[in-house]
Amino acid sequence: MTGAMTGAMAGEASRVRRTTGAGSLARATTDEASPAWATTDEASPARATSDEASPARATERSFSHLLVCGGAGFIGSAFVRRLLARGDGTRITVLDKLTYAGNLANLDPVRADPYQAARFRFVRGDIADRATVWPLLAEADAVVNFAAESHVDRSILDSEAFLATGVLGVHVLLEGCRRELERRGRSIRYLQVSTDEVYGSVDAPVSEDAPLRPRSPYAAAKAAGDLLVASYAVTFGLDALVTRGANTYGPYQHPEKLIPLFVTNAIDGLPLPLYGDGLQRRDWLYVDDHAAAIEHVLRYGAPGAVYNVPGAGERANREIVARLLELLGAPWDLVRQVPDRPGHDRRYALDGRKLAALGWRPQVHLDEGLARTVAWYRGHEAWWRPLKSGEWEEYWRRQYAARLAAGRPFRAGDDAEDPLNGGPAGIAEERPAGRGGGLAEAAPNGVGGEPAEPTDGERSGFHGPAGDGPAGDCPAGDVPAGDGPGAA
Ligand code: NAD
Ligand code: TYD
């Protein structure tokens, strides 16, 4: 029976209302059946951006009870805090397994506020456990799935949990949604939070229809999740969408990721392990922008659609490090250039025009976001210090001990003969033009030139176990921001 259901059924899903034309997304009246979103507030991303690129006749959905899977993690908790702080009556159930990355303290602001706490429920459980998931789905009118193992380096050390959550867990959620569609005769909305990493390493900003070329176990598991979601939208008429966000940073991010790792290590005077030549590029998205984009797509996205969520500043890792050191007043000699991540993707870049046309763009400039982030970690040691003990010590040993032993002080410049920097391919650096959606800006410092395009697996530095490449000095030269050890 379900196989006969169509996309049109999905289109009738949830509670739907039409806006009255360009610029009116945020002013759409709320229907009787959906009090939860009745008060669109001033900070709504729709209101903030609706005059830039409003779809002519956008469809707005409203929800009263959301199931947020992985809502105790970095981005999920920002999404939950954002929605509940609005105080519009929305109820949220968070389902989270509380892995090493899940942290109830991320939801302290919610639990400390009586109004928000009354509309919030936390359930500890696994999205791959249908006995837990399906009853929760029966109460919800939309699901946003953030739950995943999210760190590439850990997926290289051990990928099993990535598949268990990213493939089997997503399947359990989708099956539950399919059952609800059969039971209710209409689909609940399902939003899968995915990543730009599913496209693999790219030469230019990619749009949503670009081929999926994941290159790490993490990215492969996420791509598999995306494909499952697409298959359920097509086959069963599920009202399901996918967002593919850029590298995200900001408060409450686990200190395993580049920016919080380097900030917290620098605060403690510990080494900052920069992989390979440090010229890998990422498009950085502030966490509140990412949460806002997901809300925007949840409300206005078309059933079955995929939306890229670009960041507001593409940078080489070296440039990020330079800015962090500047903000922290920390010296370049903390930076150690270490053997590269195997299969390290050289560049992620998203074409954000589709989401811009839906009325959303990032709001937080990278410089501003980095300053806020550094200030937050400085002021919240009680939050991050516990995360860098216990299990962390074993992780640090496995991930970094041999690398640091094989690494050397950071030297930028003439990388041509430098195995850590990957030879000629490692020198090259581009300043690509962004394509749509971003707060376009130029790279701020002196790494420039045209990129050479290395082949897969040959991009930068030696791969494989630490210790199989020389660790000697290379010639000093240009350093990001001009104050690195090479200039000292
Ligand atoms: P995170 O690791 O901080 O949080 C993941 C959360 O999911 C944790 O609270 C964890 O306990 C929970 N979880 C893991 N497995 C689970 C399971 N089986 N059942 C229930 N809960 C489970 O990750 P994040 O950085 O907040 O990322 C959230 C989502 O956004 C992920 O799907 C990730 O792929 C995606 N994403 C992340 C980024 C980024 O830069 N961090 C960028 C784009 C997309
Ligand atoms: P990360 O935060 O792990 O995100 P992703 O792998 O999803 O992009 O890493 C961001 C970039 O920083 C990536 O190019 C790898 C690099 N990196 C380092 O150079 N050293 C580190 O210790 C870490 C964690 C990352």
Side-chain angles (χ1 to χ4, degrees):
M1 169 212 168
T2 48
M5 292 181 179
T6 64
M9 280 189 77
E12 295 163 15
S14 194
R15 302 174 181 95
V16 174
R17 56 185 184 261
R18 289 266 168 199
T19 60
T20 51
S24 62
L25 284 179
R27 275 180 238 110
T29 53
T30 310
D31 67 7
E32 294 303 314
S34 56
W37 301 91
T39 53
T40 45
D41 72 345
E42 295 303 315
S44 151
R47 187 180 293 267
T49 58
S50 58
D51 56 352
E52 290 180 37
S54 296
R57 292 186 67 80
T59 300
E60 180 179 357
R61 284 173 175 72
S62 57
F63 309 96
S64 59
H65 187 171
L66 295 178
L67 176 61
V68 179
C69 303
F74 166 50
I75 308 169
S77 67
F79 178 82
V80 171
R81 292 192 306 271
R82 171 188 175 83
L83 263 61
L84 287 177
R86 182 170 297 144
D88 63 4
T90 305
R91 287 176 296 135
I92 291 183
T93 295
V94 165
L95 171 63
D96 198 296
K97 189 176 174 181
L98 294 183
T99 66
Y100 77 94
N103 189 348
L104 271 180
N106 298 358
L107 296 164
D108 279 351
V110 165
R111 296 190 300 166
D113 178 305
Y115 177 90
Q116 296 183 45
R119 286 158 184 80
F120 171 73
R121 174 173 60 163
F122 180 79
V123 177
R124 184 170 190 175
D126 190 331
I127 62 164
D129 174 18
R130 62 182 60 186
T132 302
V133 169
W134 289 0
L136 297 178
L137 285 173
E139 300 170 10
D141 49 18
V143 189
V144 184
N145 182 35
F146 294 89
E149 293 291 333
S150 65
H151 191 34
V152 172
D153 289 325
R154 289 189 193 251
S155 82
I156 295 167
L157 292 172
D158 184 359
S159 54
E160 191 170 334
F162 288 75
L163 300 177
T165 298
V167 183
L168 299 178
V170 169
H171 180 247
V172 167
L173 288 172
L174 292 169
E175 271 295 292
C177 290
R178 183 180 69 80
R179 283 165 50 99
E180 285 304 310
L181 189 154
E182 285 180 12
R183 190 173 71 82
R184 303 180 194 195
R186 60 185 168 81
S187 177
I188 59 178
R189 176 153 270 212
Y190 179 92
L191 192 152
Q192 172 74 4
V193 179
S194 187
T195 167
D196 57 4
E197 302 194 25
V198 298
Y199 298 117
S201 198
V202 299
D203 298 326
V206 283
S207 60
E208 291 80 356
D209 53 6
L212 304 189
R213 294 197 169 107
R215 290 161 35 95
S216 72
Y218 162 68
K222 294 298 294 185
D226 288 16
L227 295 175
L228 276 173
V229 172
S231 76
Y232 271 67
V234 169
T235 304
F236 303 113
L238 214 65
D239 179 17
L241 307 90
V242 174
T243 56
R244 295 188 181 137
N247 273 67
T248 306
Y249 71 101
Y252 297 100
Q253 186 168 31
H254 192 283
E256 68 190 357
K257 305 282 169 44
L258 175 74
I259 288 174
L261 178 71
F262 278 29
V263 171
T264 57
N265 276 16
I267 288 171
D268 283 345
L270 295 171
L272 314 184
L274 187 66
Y275 296 158
D277 62 8
L279 292 175
Q280 306 83 7
R281 301 187 72 88
R282 300 291 185 264
D283 182 17
W284 292 97
L285 173 64
Y286 192 66
V287 63
D288 292 346
D289 272 342
H290 198 163
I294 289 165
E295 181 189 352
H296 194 79
V297 170
L298 187 68
R299 297 176 70 181
Y300 301 109
V306 176
Y307 295 92
N308 288 341
V309 185
E314 187 179 325
R315 294 285 189 280
N317 291 341
R318 283 184 191 186
E319 299 175 82
I320 296 293
V321 176
R323 181 72 182 132
L324 294 178
L325 292 176
E326 188 179 57
L327 286 164
L328 288 156
W332 268 96
D333 57 16
L334 287 178
V335 180
R336 282 194 75 80
Q337 218 164 344
V338 302
D340 208 351
R341 171 188 282 174
H344 198 166
D345 287 335
R346 195 68 175 165
R347 182 181 176 198
Y348 300 136
L350 291 173
D351 180 334
R353 284 178 292 187
K354 187 172 175 183
L355 188 51
L358 198 68
W360 185 89
R361 286 169 193 270
Q363 303 290 308
V364 181
H365 189 280
L366 180 60
D367 275 350
E368 167 63 19
L370 288 177
R372 283 190 210 172
T373 303
V374 167
W376 190 88
Y377 280 90
R378 271 188 161 141
H380 290 80
E381 293 195 13
W383 181 87
W384 58 262
R385 287 208 180 278
L387 305 180
K388 295 183 87 171
S389 65
E391 185 269 353
W392 173 266
E393 281 151 25
E394 172 62 8
Y395 168 70
W396 177 264
R397 191 191 60 72
R398 286 182 75 193
Q399 180 62 24
Y400 292 109
R403 275 195 173 81
L404 284 166
R408 52 111 196 278
F410 178 72
R411 295 281 187 276
D414 179 4
D415 304 309
E417 303 304 323
D418 183 354
L420 268 179
N421 286 353
I427 312 172
E429 178 66 15
E430 75 269 53
R431 292 187 205 196
R435 205 192 290 160
L439 301 172
E441 52 195 292
N445 59 40
V447 274
E450 281 305 304
E453 187 50 33
T455 57
D456 287 358
E458 297 174 351
R459 292 185 177 252
S460 61
F462 54 87
H463 298 155
D468 55 356
D473 280 357
C474 66
D478 289 348
V479 175
D483 59 355

